[in-house]
């Protein structure tokens, strides 16, 4: 056997065949932008953010400037209303067909009936018979009755047991109050006609006068228009 030939074949089998070449390694920053470009990009982003913040701030400022006159106007309006309320009494109002006199709403009935019927009618209206408290109010009622040319029941009746005139709220007529003409007897009630207050039978038919408290007029504090 030829030994030299075997040696050559073994050597040849150990010799590596042709292999595919590996691509050369690239440097780490070969695919990155230049540093100057990166700085420019960062500055552009910062500029856009600053511009956005500036626009937001300007929009807020414009809204504040637009609303400021309205706020100042409303503040002045509120202060004026507070001053008016402090300097003047509250405004009072009465329902339709009721007359405001001082701090009372007064109603002159259109119907004529006995005293108890008038008392009940005032109650259904959320009111009571008229209670005259001073000479000024008495003069006003007399003038009104005289102008209407009729007789009106008042909230005053005579009690035979006490022999005194009493108002419907339970108080006794003061000796310094209004003067009642005519005889006071059982079932006597007071009525006003023209220039006098007189005693009349409670079963007589007269018109009547009711009274109730007025309402406070609501006021608008501020108007934005």
């Amino acid at each position: 056997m030829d030994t030299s030939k075997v040696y050559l074949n073994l050597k040849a089998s150990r010799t590596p065949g042709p292999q595919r070449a590996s691509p050369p390694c690239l440097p780490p920053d070969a695919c990155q932008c230049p540093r100057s470009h990166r700085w420019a990009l960062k500055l552009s982003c910062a500029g856009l953010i600053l511009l956005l913040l500036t626009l937001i701030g300007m929009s807020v400022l414009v809204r504040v400037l637009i609303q400021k006159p309205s706020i100042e106007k409303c503040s002045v309006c509120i202060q004026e209303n507070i001053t008016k309320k402090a300097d003047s009494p509250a405004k009072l109002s009465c329902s339709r067909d009721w007359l405001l006199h001082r701090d009372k709403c007064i109603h002159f009935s259109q119907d004529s009936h006995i005293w108890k019927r008038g008392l009940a009618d005032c109650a259904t209206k959320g009111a009571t018979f008229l209670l005259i408290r001073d000479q000024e109010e008495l003069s006003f009622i007399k003038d009104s009755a005289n102008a209407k040319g009729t007789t009106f029941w008042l909230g005053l009746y005579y009690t035979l047991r006490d022999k005194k005139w009493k108002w419907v709220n339970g108080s006794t007529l003061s000796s310094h109050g209004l003067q009642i003409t005519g005889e006071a007897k059982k079932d006597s009630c007071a009525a006003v006609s023209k220039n006098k207050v007189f005693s009349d039978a409670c079963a007589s038919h007269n018109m009547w006068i009711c009274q109730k408290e007025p309402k406070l007029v609501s006021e608008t504090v501020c108007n934005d228009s």
Side-chain angles (χ1 to χ4, degrees), residues 54-131:
T54 302
L55 291 175
I56 294 174
M58 291 182 65
S59 64
V60 173
L61 180 61
V62 169
R63 291 187 64 181
V64 171
L65 292 176
I66 292 175
Q67 293 179 355
K68 186 177 180 181
S70 298
I71 295 174
E72 291 178 350
K73 181 180 178 180
C74 189
S75 299
V76 172
C77 183
I78 293 173
Q79 186 61 39
E80 289 178 353
N81 278 276
I82 293 174
T83 304
K84 289 179 180 179
K85 289 182 179 180
D87 295 341
S88 61
K91 293 182 179 179
L92 304 177
S93 175
C94 295
S95 306
R96 183 180 179 182
D97 298 329
W98 290 74
L99 178 64
L100 178 65
H101 179 70
R102 293 162 65 178
D103 59 347
K104 288 183 180 180
C105 290
I106 298 176
H107 174 71
F108 294 87
S109 76
Q110 301 297 320
D111 299 327
S112 179
H113 219 287
I114 63 174
W115 188 86
K116 287 185 178 180
R117 181 64 177 270
L119 180 64
D121 178 72
C122 290
T124 61
K125 292 179 171 59
T128 184
F129 257 141
L130 178 65
L131 309 175

Side-chain angles (χ1 to χ4, degrees), residues 113-157:
H113 219 287
I114 63 174
W115 188 86
K116 287 185 178 180
R117 181 64 177 270
L119 180 64
D121 178 72
C122 290
T124 61
K125 292 179 171 59
T128 184
F129 257 141
L130 178 65
L131 309 175
I132 297 177
R133 58 188 171 186
D134 54 35
Q135 292 297 323
E136 189 279 333
E137 190 170 40
L138 176 60
S139 298
F140 170 77
I141 295 300
K142 285 181 177 180
D143 292 341
S144 299
N146 189 28
K148 295 178 181 299
T150 187
T151 302
F152 294 92
W153 289 123
L154 299 176
L156 192 62
Y157 63 98

